[in-house]
Amino acid sequence: MTGSYPHTRLRRTRATAWSRAMHRENVLTPADLIWPLFVTEGEGVEEPIAALPGVSRWSVDGVVARAKEAAELGIPCLALFPNTQPDRRSENGGEALNPDNLMCRAIRAVRDALGDRIGLLTDVALDPYTSHGQDGLIDAAGYVLNDETVEVLVGQALNQAAAGADIIAPSDMMDGRIGAIRDALEDAGHANIQIMSYAAKYASSFYGPFRDAVGSRGLLKGDKKTYQMDPANSEEALREVEMDLAEGADSVMVKPGLPYLDIVRRVKETFEVPVFAYQVSGEYAMIEAAVAAGAGDRDALVLETLLAFKRAGCSGVLTYYAAHAARLLNG
Ligand SMILES: NCC(=O)CCC(=O)O
Ligand SMILES: [Mg+2]
């Protein structure tokens, strides 16, 4: 119990740097960071993404170089996203099942170069592969079909697993996909491949720059509200998480990040499982815009926002600032 003034003065322990360090309740380290990288075709290619100043798409060799850099910085895991060429996109996203697609080539190249020195988390959803930009198969009215999509997602997950993925991360929000993917991984002898479920993924306005990065912005018609969650809901997030855990998810994700830290906290307190959050592209772009406007200091804003994820209960954060933050933390 907190006593009363003046015997208790909460400012006492804040008076010096050593004392603040001694009383700090949460810490951020490079091991808390997962670095999302965008892969593009070619060799020696770096394509800056205008909507995400400071973030580029890299050809596979560049991804390998970034992976080495990440391992040296103490970042434990990368999240890979492909920018599929327009002529490889289709109505049913079949390129997701191609064992030589951009994603699988990137997975194999990083695995060959780094072995187990870094983890590879791979995105399962069809939006980087469909000509309509939705995460699944659609009917004539454009509605995303659940069970038919899950069948394709299982194939996509097995394809990534065969290429060497460590953590399958379904971001599609179909019902039942975690159980279906878990069963398929077990049957295929991949008992130790993890699943990090994007369990509570909201239909958010913060994903705009990401859609530029994977080339789906211009393609997407309508929105994703029939499968991603309503930002008004919190009870429903607990049901989503509960189902994914029951189906075999090893860890769960909340997305977006900072505006949804109340969800992180509720999930953590309710289930006591590893929870991750995604500081998404629009959050990154907001910080960059604030810095460009002279409204704040980048390094301080980055470290404060990332620490806030830890305080809320996250085991780690997916962030485009991962390498930058790790450099700051390593001093
Ligand atoms: N499935 C991954 C994402 O949708 C990322 C969104 C973002 O960074 O805006
Ligand atoms: Mg779900």
Side-chain angles (χ1 to χ4, degrees), residues 30-307:
D32 296 318
L33 307 171
I34 297 173
W35 193 11
L37 292 175
F38 298 106
V39 196
T40 199
E41 289 290 350
E43 174 120 19
V45 178
E46 175 182 0
E47 296 168 352
I49 301 160
L52 286 173
V55 179
S56 295
R57 301 185 198 97
W58 302 92
S59 50
V60 168
D61 53 306
V63 170
V64 171
R66 299 290 77 69
K68 287 183 182 151
E69 195 183 331
E72 278 155 23
L73 287 166
I75 294 170
C77 191
L78 304 176
L80 301 179
F81 298 97
N83 175 40
T84 305
Q85 300 309 107
D87 64 349
R88 297 222 154 240
R89 290 172 174 265
S90 62
E91 183 80 7
N92 65 9
E95 178 67 4
L97 305 178
N98 173 3
D100 285 317
N101 68 21
L102 187 54
M103 187 73 164
C104 291
R105 280 181 276 134
I107 295 168
R108 283 195 295 265
V110 174
R111 183 63 68 227
D112 286 349
L114 281 99
D116 275 345
R117 286 173 58 216
I118 198 149
L120 288 176
L121 178 147
T122 57
D123 187 71
V124 168
L126 297 183
D127 52 321
Y129 309 92
T130 53
S131 46
H132 45 71
Q134 293 289 358
D135 293 18
L137 306 180
I138 55 174
D139 69 10
Y143 183 76
V144 175
L145 299 163
N146 194 87
D147 301 5
E148 294 83 347
T149 296
V150 170
E151 273 183 48
V152 184
L153 298 177
V154 167
Q156 181 183 18
L158 289 174
N159 193 30
Q160 295 172 352
D166 298 294
I167 308 179
I168 301 293
S171 67
D172 53 284
M173 287 297 280
M174 297 304 112
D175 287 322
R177 89 282 204 218
I178 299 301
I181 291 171
R182 187 70 265 165
D183 283 343
L185 289 173
E186 297 295 316
D187 288 348
H190 297 303
N192 276 343
I193 293 187
Q194 302 175 32
I195 298 178
M196 182 188 291
S197 165
Y198 287 70
K201 177 173 179 177
Y202 287 84
S204 169
S205 305
F206 284 96
Y207 305 146
F210 175 89
R211 290 177 190 161
D212 280 337
V214 298
S216 67
R217 164 113 80 185
L219 305 173
L220 182 64
K221 288 167 205 76
D223 54 45
K224 300 190 176 183
K225 291 180 184 172
T226 70
Y227 47 107
Q228 298 178 354
M229 281 183 57
D230 185 335
N233 296 354
S234 167
E235 305 293 344
E236 189 188 0
L238 300 183
R239 298 183 69 195
E240 285 283 4
V241 167
E242 185 171 29
M243 285 190 64
D244 287 357
L245 291 172
E247 290 174 31
D250 300 283
S251 55
V252 294
M253 197 199 300
V254 172
K255 178 178 166 198
L258 221 51
Y260 293 81
L261 291 187
D262 59 315
I263 307 299
V264 169
R265 169 55 62 184
R266 282 197 83 180
V267 168
K268 186 69 190 175
E269 285 184 347
T270 306
F271 298 103
E272 299 177 322
V273 296
V275 183
F276 293 80
Y278 201 136
Q279 184 178 50
V280 300
S281 59
E283 297 176 68
Y284 177 98
M286 271 174 48
I287 293 176
E288 288 301 306
V291 172
D297 174 71
R298 178 185 289 109
D299 296 353
L301 290 169
V302 168
L303 292 179
E304 182 178 333
T305 55
L306 295 176
L307 183 60

